[in-house]
Amino acid sequence: MLSGVFLTHANELLGSDGEHLLQVARVLDESAVDYLVVADHVLLSAGGHGHDALGGPLPFPLDEPYPDPLITLAAAAAVTSRIRLATGVLIAPLRPAPVLAKMAASVAALSSGRLDLGVGSGWQEEEFTACGVPAAAKAQRLDDCISACKALWHHCPASFSSGTVSFEDVACSPRPPGGDIPVWFGGRAIPATLSRIARLGAGWLPLRLPSVAELRQARADLNRLCEQAGRDPAGLGIRVTLPTVRDASGAADLPGTLLPAAGLAEAGVTGVQINIRDFARSVPELRDTAAALHAFCRESGRP
Amino acid sequence: MTAAIAGIGYTPFSAQAGRSVLDLAAEACQAALDDAGLPATEVDGLGSFMVMHDSVPCQAVATTLGIGELRLSLDLDLGGQAPCHLVSLASAAITAGLADSVLVFRAMKGRSGNRVGAMSFAGGGGQYRYPIGYGAYMMYIGMWAQRFLYETGQGEEDLAAIVLAQREYAAANERAYRRRLITEEEYYQAPYVVEPFRAADCTVEVDGACAVLVTSLDRARALRHPPAVIAAAGYSAGPRSGLDIGDHLLWADYSRNYTHLLAPRLYRAAGLGPADIQMAEIYDCFSSTVMMALEGLGLCGRGESGGFARGGGTRLDGRLPVNTHGGLLCEGYLHGMNTVAEAALQVQGRGGDRQAPRHETCIVTSGALMDGSGMILTADR
């Protein structure tokens, strides 16, 4: 299995203004960890309602740093040479599709094709409204946005027409190395998400850790949908975020956190990531955690 | 090729069997064969274990049973670490084509003959333990229990919850040697044997034997009962596990035993996670080892096994029934061979009055300290 480190909210490690980002990126690049992952919110609503799927209030303070993910990954790209740079997830419909296509292609070009674009449809109405995007039909917007990006990455000039994005004979350059960027879709294993992955995706980023039964079902559904879409499902990835397990004293327990993932490779999971905020507050702790994470994932076999 | 447990056999458990260990071994093995409906002539492998020569070699049992050519004979010089280890080795041998059908058994006169509680383990580590008066097995486990309870913020009320739940199971198990229900008051009234253990925290030594038949899944499907599929099995001895069977002096952390090393391997091989496990049969020479294993296997968070047991989680109507035969604490100390047998019975749906409602996946352990073994049994799917 591949290993990932989720950096967002790791304020003690990154520094309150993210001033240690480059050092952290270098350390991860020197480790054997496969993915450096960052998340996205353009804005947070002080209204404070929680995620519609996860429920509850925001699990972090409103004023916590939330740097732009693609700019963060561009900076990381400059000081790394191996590690894959991933968003998990970037709220795609908040940005005009051509702007997202251009930014992502630029990061992909600057990193020699190391970008994995994880995207989601978003959930805060206030964030959409402030960005001038209607919150209605978010899922359709996500679909159109990624289809439009793919058109711009695949063709030059490109033409595209859909309900929410359309253009004709426009060029967007640079195009990503290899002519494409792997796009991963976040969310629950609902038919719309799985269908989107089968049509457009490189993989699935489940919203929360699914059970083995749910994973097996999702794999079976993806296989069927890929067959319908005329593509080979073998390359599709599933990367899960492991909920941090704490001991009775409240301390984060890395072996306990990793344990539920041991059987997941068999169920079709190709990668796991941990919330590094809970395990490392300093570079030495990051080195140790990255080594332990990698050792665990190596034992769990590579896809 | 996958292997499965297809038959289970026991002798009665008693304080004084009044017959030879060989006789006990042969009776339990023959009972396992009769249970599966397989003639002894079809068996070509045996596996067993003994502590300080308290049992009989496989060869003798094969001869007594009238088995023909023996192609696999495993006599391990181990204690409670051995049962899942032997099933694992039998399963691997069957998969590798070294044997077709293997009986794994433990036979002993653990009460009227050599009692583990009174044995001296005169190995390389003994020279350090015995001169300081640190010589009985329950002292070792007691030391670990104290450290474990201290490190995880748990205590005697948690041990009591484990014990009381297992007593309830034993009341429904006619094979159990200790079947009397006790109240929490009675539990606390008994003095310490070795702190933090009172009498009810300690296994009850018995004379008896127990055997399981391991064979290929294909063959098991043709036998009398539904197979208990061996989805994963293995053994682990952590680093610095000592110089002899009782030597734990070099072990780094008395609050964690082998289970936390073994767990990821078992889940990996079975393609399951802790959340998929429906029941557990945990080696329990003493009550504390149940808590350590529940946490080591990720079935409970660290420091949360006691609360889980106090909340009824290990009972028949709880989230994870544990030690449904009453455990070694109550059924009798066959060094965990009967723990394996109970797991197979449960997965096969033959648990009778103590049958766990969900029994398609069961995790099993053998051993208490630095080294041990475990497995995951599943229903045939």
Side-chain angles (χ1 to χ4, degrees):
Chain A
M1 271 195 308
L2 301 177
S3 55
V5 161
F6 181 70
L7 275 184
T8 304
H9 308 303
N11 299 320
E12 282 183 83
L13 181 63
L14 293 171
S16 54
D17 294 318
E19 64 269 24
H20 304 318
L21 170 72
L22 298 185
Q23 191 188 3
V24 165
R26 278 192 200 97
V27 168
L28 286 174
D29 200 47
E30 287 159 12
S31 83
V33 165
D34 298 290
Y35 297 98
L36 180 164
V37 189
V38 290
D40 175 41
H41 271 295
V42 176
L43 301 170
L44 289 172
S45 166
H49 69 86
H51 191 295
D52 53 357
L54 293 173
L58 290 177
F60 45 81
L62 203 61
D63 62 349
E64 188 154 299
Y66 230 122
D68 181 89
L70 289 174
I71 291 175
T72 302
L73 294 184
V79 296
T80 58
S81 60
R82 177 198 64 81
I83 197 164
R84 292 200 65 84
L85 306 165
T87 59
V89 294
L90 176 143
I91 306 169
L94 291 178
R95 295 150 172 93
V99 173
L100 178 59
K102 168 64 68 88
M103 290 186 71
S106 302
V107 175
L110 289 171
S111 64
S112 309
R114 287 185 286 131
L115 177 66
D116 278 298
L117 193 65
V119 296
S121 58
W123 51 274
Q124 281 188 116
E125 276 197 35
E126 299 85 342
E127 198 178 12
F128 275 84
T129 307
C131 289
V133 181
K138 296 190 298 278
Q140 182 61 45
R141 286 179 189 286
L142 174 62
D143 223 295
D144 292 349
C145 175
I146 298 305
S147 299
C149 286
K150 293 268 177 185
L152 291 168
W153 296 335
H154 296 173
H155 307 287
C156 185
S159 299
F160 180 76
S161 172
S162 72
T164 62
V165 190
S166 294
F167 45 77
E168 204 164 326
D169 284 334
V170 294
C172 182
S173 192
R175 287 161 66 199
D180 200 7
I181 295 172
V183 177
W184 298 58
F185 290 92
R188 287 168 291 178
I190 54 175
T193 300
L194 295 177
S195 147
R196 203 170 283 134
I197 294 165
R199 283 181 289 116
L200 298 168
W204 175 37
L205 304 170
L207 198 56
R208 61 169 91 195
L209 184 64
S211 72
V212 165
E214 287 166 339
L215 284 164
R216 292 215 168 104
Q217 184 61 51
R219 266 288 171 199
D221 291 346
L222 282 173
N223 289 347
R224 182 175 43 78
L225 290 164
C226 281
E227 201 175 316
Q228 285 169 14
R231 66 178 283 202
D232 181 5
L236 282 184
I238 300 178
R239 190 169 80 245
V240 299
T241 303
L242 299 176
T244 299
V245 170
R246 295 180 182 281
D247 65 21
S249 73
D253 174 4
L254 185 61
T257 299
L258 297 175
L259 191 57
L264 294 184
E266 188 84 0
V269 168
T270 55
V272 296
Q273 64 189 42
I274 58 169
N275 273 304
I276 198 66
R277 166 191 64 179
D278 298 330
F279 300 96
R281 283 153 298 178
S282 64
V283 162
E285 286 180 0
L286 177 66
R287 278 204 182 92
D288 291 348
T289 305
L293 172 66
H294 171 70
F296 176 89
C297 288
R298 186 189 53 218
E299 285 301 310
S300 296
R302 286 182 180 259
Chain B
M1 190 196 302
T2 309
I5 295 178
I8 295 145
Y10 302 89
T11 67
F13 298 161
S14 69
Q16 187 159 17
R19 52 200 172 114
S20 71
V21 175
L22 178 58
D23 198 47
L24 293 170
E27 179 181 320
C29 287
Q30 187 61 54
L33 292 174
D34 293 345
D35 181 53
L38 189 76
T41 47
E42 294 289 306
V43 173
D44 57 0
L46 263 85
S48 189
F49 59 106
M50 56 180 91
V51 179
M52 310 292 278
H53 298 281
D54 66 354
S55 188
V56 287
C58 289
Q59 189 182 349
V61 177
T63 299
T64 307
L65 288 173
I67 290 171
E69 185 193 4
L70 202 55
R71 294 202 291 153
L72 182 79
S73 179
L74 299 166
D75 290 292
L76 300 188
D77 183 12
L78 283 177
Q81 309 96 318
C84 288
H85 188 22
L86 279 167
V87 172
S88 172
L89 293 172
S91 167
I94 290 163
T95 302
L98 299 178
D100 290 331
S101 294
V102 181
L103 280 164
V104 174
F105 71 92
R106 175 69 163 127
M108 57 198 292
K109 293 203 279 188
R111 184 67 167 267
S112 70
N114 297 334
R115 301 179 67 165
V116 167
M119 285 178 186
S120 297
F121 301 103
Q127 61 188 313
Y128 305 109
R129 299 193 303 271
Y130 293 105
I132 59 169
Y134 185 50
Y137 221 89
M138 71 169 68
M139 297 168 79
Y140 311 157
I141 312 244
M143 175 85 94
W144 282 56
Q146 292 286 61
R147 191 76 212 168
F148 166 74
L149 294 175
Y150 174 82
E151 292 282 350
T152 61
Q154 303 184 92
E156 292 181 1
E157 66 279 14
D158 301 309
L159 297 178
I162 296 284
V163 167
L164 295 179
Q166 292 194 192
R167 284 282 177 134
E168 277 186 25
Y169 283 118
N173 175 11
E174 56 194 26
R175 193 177 303 112
Y177 188 86
R178 263 180 186 160
R179 295 188 65 187
R180 193 175 65 81
L181 286 170
I182 59 168
T183 63
E184 195 166 359
E185 262 185 349
E186 281 178 273
Y187 170 84
Y188 283 115
Q189 273 164 8
Y192 289 125
V193 183
V194 163
E195 203 174 342
F197 298 138
R198 304 166 193 278
D201 292 294
C202 309
T203 184
V204 57
E205 290 172 306
V206 293
D207 291 4
C210 174
V212 300
L213 173 68
V214 184
T215 189
S216 70
L217 179 56
D218 285 344
R219 178 173 287 223
R221 283 178 175 145
L223 296 175
R224 192 167 286 156
H225 301 291
V229 180
I230 301 160
Y235 168 83
S236 173
R240 294 160 33 109
S241 59
L243 305 175
D244 62 62
I245 192 170
D247 181 23
H248 50 278
L249 296 179
L250 297 169
W251 190 255
D253 182 357
Y254 285 9
S255 77
R256 288 181 176 84
N257 67 8
Y258 70 96
T259 54
H260 85 282
L261 299 171
L262 189 58
R265 276 166 42 204
L266 293 180
Y267 292 130
R268 205 167 277 144
L272 296 170
D276 303 300
I277 300 299
Q278 297 177 346
M279 56 177 306
E281 303 293 351
I282 305 293
Y283 183 88
D284 59 329
C285 49
F286 298 89
S287 54
S288 59
T289 64
V290 178
M291 294 173 66
M292 289 184 82
L294 289 176
E295 296 180 17
L297 298 171
L299 300 167
C300 295
R302 185 156 161 89
E304 292 170 358
S305 58
F308 180 65
R310 279 186 280 111
T314 66
R315 290 171 195 254
L316 208 53
D317 58 355
R319 171 169 72 76
L320 183 85
V322 175
N323 288 349
T324 49
H325 52 149
L328 307 177
L329 296 185
C330 303
E331 192 179 71
Y333 191 37
L334 266 270
H335 289 198
M337 198 64 234
N338 44 334
T339 308
V340 167
E342 175 70 9
L345 277 178
Q346 288 279 340
V347 168
Q348 292 177 319
R350 297 198 283 154
D353 291 345
R354 56 181 198 282
Q355 176 65 52
R358 300 187 311 139
H359 53 86
E360 295 207 327
T361 54
C362 178
I363 197 162
V364 196
T365 66
S366 303
L369 301 178
M370 302 77 65
D371 64 326
S373 55
M375 63 181 178
I376 294 173
L377 295 180
T378 65
D380 189 13
R381 291 173 291 194

